[in-house]
């Protein structure tokens, strides 16, 4: 099963992805793969950090290479943060076809930009394992350390206003048209991202019968 998760920052994609991971899905999160590239190579860090700091899109060639390297044909896979533009969507379609696969469902985590700003105000991330928390809606046990690995939680630098503005611009101009295309193809399911994490997860489970066949 191939799942694509799309939506504004803070709409609950990563939280839903970690629930799906507990159920045996392989999660391919582009933001995390890029952070790993930066941590492992000074040369790549030099090239990638300025782009990520400006919240611009990294070039499609590297993104597609990272997908290729991390894709496991045997695994049920969730793509988080990919595709973000038409070129990546086209590439994904061809890539999956070569593997004899296709997208099973696109989950569109939908809420307003106002709702997004409200959510991001309290968002925290674990420095080590990247688990995402929220001060009010989804706090860790003590509110300052990660429940998984006890590392300190920090506010995501991506959530600063200038970066958010850039991300929104890219979302409106490049990502939204891809979501519309998936809707036209009948592949996209709208998930109400204003709900609690648990309700959102149940809505995801009900969005496609293959989730139920696979999990229950
Ligand atoms: P988000 O998914 O909320 O935009 P991430 O933490 O996943 O944030 O990504 C951080 C940064 O990594 C983005 O601002 C962008 O620079 C880069 N990035 C992530 N996914 C992609 C992608 N599919 N294509 C190009 N760049 C990407």
């Amino acid at each position: 099963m191939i799942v694509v998760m799309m939506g504004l920052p803070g709409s609950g994609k990563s939280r839903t992805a970690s629930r799906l991971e507990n159920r045996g899905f392989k999660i391919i999160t582009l933001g995390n793969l890029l952070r790993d590239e930066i941590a492992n190579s000074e040369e790549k860090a030099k090239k990638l950090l300025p782009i990520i700091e400006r919240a611009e899109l990294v070039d499609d060639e590297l993104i597609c290479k990272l997908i290729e390297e991390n894709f496991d044909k045997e695994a049920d896979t969730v793509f988080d943060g990919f595709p973000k533009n038409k070129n990546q969507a086209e590439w994904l379609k061809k890539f999956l076809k070569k593997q004899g696969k296709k997208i099973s469902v696109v989950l569109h985590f939908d809420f307003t930009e106002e709702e997004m700003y409200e959510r991001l105000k309290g968002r925290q991330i674990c420095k080590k394992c990247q688990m995402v928390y929220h001060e009010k809606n989804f706090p860790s046990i003590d509110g300052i350390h990660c429940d998984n690995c006890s590392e300190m939680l920090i506010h995501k630098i991506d959530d600063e206003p200038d970066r958010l503005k850039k991300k929104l611009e890219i979302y409106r101009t490049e990502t939204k048209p891809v979501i519309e295309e998936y809707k036209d193809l009948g592949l996209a399911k709208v998930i109400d991202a204003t709900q609690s994490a648990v309700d959102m997860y149940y809505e995801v489970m009900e969005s496609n019968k293959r989730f139920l066949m696979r999990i229950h």
Side-chain angles (χ1 to χ4, degrees), residues 99-111:
Q99 319 281 330
K101 307 227 163 223
K102 59 182 179 181
I103 294 174
S104 315
V105 65
V106 174
L107 301 172
H108 174 206
F109 292 78
D110 194 26
F111 67 178

Side-chain angles (χ1 to χ4, degrees), residues 70-86:
N70 286 278
F71 187 76
D72 172 0
K73 211 176 151 185
E74 306 307 321
D76 288 307
T77 302
V78 176
F79 292 107
D80 174 10
F82 175 86
K84 276 198 158 83
N85 61 25
K86 282 200 175 184

Side-chain angles (χ1 to χ4, degrees), residues 7-10 13 29-32 34-35 51-60 63 80-85 88 123 156 158 167:
L8 288 167
K13 298 186 299 287
T29 305
L30 263 296
N32 292 348
L34 289 166
R35 283 183 276 274
I51 303 174
I52 292 177
E53 270 163 15
R54 291 194 299 270
E56 289 166 3
L57 291 187
V58 171
D59 69 88
D60 293 338
I63 295 293
D80 174 10
F82 175 86
K84 276 198 158 83
N85 61 25
Q88 293 178 7
R123 189 155 84 155
K156 225 180 158 189
D158 286 47
K167 277 193 177 182

Side-chain angles (χ1 to χ4, degrees), residues 5 22 25 30 40 42 44 58 62 64 83 103 110 119 128 145-146 153 165-166 176 189 195-196 202 204 214:
M5 298 201 312
N22 291 339
F25 278 83
L30 263 296
N40 294 332
E42 231 173 272
K44 283 190 182 147
V58 171
L62 172 65
C64 298
I103 294 174
D110 194 26
R119 280 271 177 91
K128 194 169 161 200
H145 295 98
C146 177
L153 301 179
K165 223 170 113 196
K166 183 73 197 166
K176 211 64 201 294
K189 294 280 179 196
Q195 307 176 88
S196 71
Y202 284 126
V204 166
R214 196 192 165 279

